[in-house]
Amino acid sequence: MKEISSIVLVIIGALIGAGFASGQEIYSFFFSYGIKGFLGIIITCNLISFLIYKVLKIIFRKEIDSYEELLELFIKNKKTVKIINLILNILLLISFYIMIAGFGAYFEQEIGISKIIGSLILAILCFLVFLTSVKGVLKVSEYLVPILIVFLAIIGINNITSIDFTNIEIPEIKKGWLMSSIIYCSYNLILLIPALISLRKHISKEKNIKYIALISNIIIIILSSIVYTLLIKSDVDLSTLEMPVVYVIGNIFPMFKNIYAFIILASVFTTAISIGIGFLQNVCKNPKSYTQIVLFMCITSLVISNFGFSKLVNLSYPIFGYLGIIQIWFILSAKK
């Protein structure tokens, strides 16, 4: 059971990053589509869970240790494999930068401190964890993610009991909600698969995989629903906010503001290290270059984070999503 819970916590930690906990992702991909966006959450979470199950089975049976090896199962042309692998590495690096930007955005929006300070703090923390490799990621997730889940559950329960269901204002349904849900799933999978591959050696029995996928599914559905219902409470145009849920918590549930500050920062941290370790395991063929690449990641993140958190999320993630649809097709068509 400890093995299953440890891996589930890494998966959850990878999924509930800056975009998720801030409400930016749930708003953009689900809430803005009205009530059908909630249906999109259910569809997305179940699809992510099924794909986690498929990917873990493939990498466990085939003893896959890198994303390039996984690609070679579906694509025989080695040049094509290298190009796709290069694209993935770029996407992972950009996603790592987005987490650094999210950390900085919180400091600027909620504390009034320059975002470069917040970004610098996370970059240093990530650097220290990366030096411990996968073991460090497992340890951080083991301690932080359960706290995130409990705090979100407490806030969610308080929110649901205070909602007047006879006077709920949700955006009107607009077209494209299903495609938005698929895109959300596909870009998350792009970020998640390298992390899953890095966890392969920590799975001792194949039968544990179905429990990992099932438990992950249940937790993500619950957490996504909590964030969705929190957005209902907003009294301003959510599209104007970098972190809409943070705004709602601060104005509607001020008693939870400090707790949610921890949730935001910790969730950004867990996602950053999950994405980062996936990138590092994929590009570091020579152990001697590992520290140099870690330094490169952390230093360049401070430059890129200046572009702004919400801009990076809204511009980059849909592109990731469309590219990830091809990956989903390969995985779903796999016989094993």
Side-chain angles (χ1 to χ4, degrees):
M1 188 62 191
K2 181 174 174 56
E3 173 186 304
I4 295 171
S5 62
S6 295
I7 294 173
V8 166
L9 292 175
V10 172
I11 291 172
I12 301 302
L15 291 172
I16 57 171
F20 183 96
S22 69
Q24 187 63 238
E25 286 180 11
I26 298 299
Y27 171 76
S28 298
F29 290 93
F30 303 107
F31 189 82
S32 62
Y33 290 90
I35 194 64
K36 283 198 174 180
F38 189 78
L39 178 59
I41 286 176
I42 306 301
I43 293 171
T44 296
C45 293
N46 278 282
L47 183 55
I48 288 175
S49 174
F50 179 69
L51 291 167
I52 287 172
Y53 173 74
K54 288 275 288 185
V55 170
L56 286 177
K57 281 190 73 173
I58 292 170
I59 65 177
F60 183 84
R61 290 180 176 181
K62 301 291 185 179
E63 298 185 347
I64 301 296
D65 288 320
S66 71
Y67 188 75
E68 191 169 336
E69 290 179 24
L70 180 65
L71 287 174
E72 288 172 352
L73 295 178
F74 308 107
I75 304 170
K76 302 306 177 185
N77 187 300
K78 290 190 176 182
K79 287 186 178 179
T80 303
V81 168
K82 289 188 178 299
I83 291 171
I84 294 175
N85 194 45
L86 175 62
I87 293 171
L88 171 88
N89 288 331
I90 292 172
L91 296 182
L92 287 173
L93 191 57
I94 292 173
S95 298
F96 175 72
Y97 292 155
I98 288 173
M99 294 305 109
I100 301 293
F103 208 85
Y106 181 87
F107 271 70
E108 187 170 62
Q109 178 177 304
E110 297 302 312
I111 307 176
I113 297 175
S114 172
K115 59 187 176 183
I116 195 65
I117 302 296
S119 297
L120 178 61
I121 291 171
L122 183 57
I124 292 172
L125 288 173
C126 287
F127 175 78
L128 296 174
V129 173
F130 290 152
L131 293 182
T132 66
S133 193
V134 179
K135 290 182 179 179
V137 175
L138 286 167
K139 279 293 180 185
V140 171
S141 297
E142 184 179 335
Y143 290 119
L144 285 183
V145 176
I147 299 173
L148 302 183
I149 294 171
V150 170
F151 281 169
L152 267 173
I154 292 171
I155 292 170
I157 291 169
N158 278 271
N159 181 49
I160 290 173
T161 56
S162 67
I163 292 177
D164 180 4
F165 288 96
T166 62
N167 191 32
I168 294 178
E169 292 186 13
I170 297 179
E172 294 182 6
I173 296 172
K174 59 181 182 179
K175 294 180 180 179
W177 67 272
L178 184 57
M179 178 55 71
S180 180
S181 301
I182 293 172
I183 290 172
Y184 182 80
C185 170
S186 63
Y187 91 71
N188 268 294
L189 203 66
I190 282 181
L191 307 180
L192 191 56
I193 286 181
L196 295 177
I197 292 171
S198 71
L199 295 170
R200 196 265 301 174
K201 293 179 181 179
H202 296 273
I203 301 174
S204 60
K205 299 175 183 177
E206 185 175 334
K207 68 178 184 179
N208 288 343
I209 293 173
K210 62 182 178 182
Y211 298 113
I212 292 169
L214 178 62
I215 296 171
S216 298
N217 186 29
I218 293 170
I219 294 173
I220 288 299
I221 287 177
I222 293 172
L223 298 182
S224 299
S225 301
I226 288 171
V227 174
Y228 185 96
T229 54
L230 281 168
L231 295 175
I232 294 173
K233 287 294 191 70
S234 177
D235 56 358
V236 299
D237 182 1
L238 293 174
S239 64
T240 64
L241 300 175
E242 289 267 287
M243 298 188 163
V245 168
V246 176
Y247 172 83
V248 171
I249 294 291
N251 285 271
I252 310 299
F253 303 108
M255 72 287 283
F256 293 124
K257 186 173 183 180
N258 291 334
I259 292 177
Y260 209 75
F262 171 79
I263 290 175
I264 285 285
L265 299 177
S267 61
V268 173
F269 181 34
T270 57
T271 301
I273 58 176
S274 297
I275 292 171
I277 203 67
F279 172 80
L280 290 166
Q281 296 257 317
N282 207 32
V283 301
C284 293
K285 309 299 181 184
N286 183 355
K288 293 181 179 179
S289 65
Y290 185 86
T291 303
Q292 293 176 335
I293 295 175
V294 169
L295 273 172
F296 169 80
M297 284 176 63
C298 295
I299 291 173
T300 54
S301 69
L302 299 176
V303 178
I304 303 299
S305 64
N306 280 315
F307 282 107
F309 170 63
S310 61
K311 287 182 181 178
L312 286 169
V313 169
N314 291 319
L315 290 176
S316 302
Y317 280 7
I319 296 172
F320 296 2
Y322 284 112
L323 293 172
I325 289 173
I326 301 171
Q327 181 176 245
I328 289 177
W329 172 256
F330 281 133
I331 295 168
L332 292 178
S333 62
K335 295 180 180 179
K336 294 184 179 181

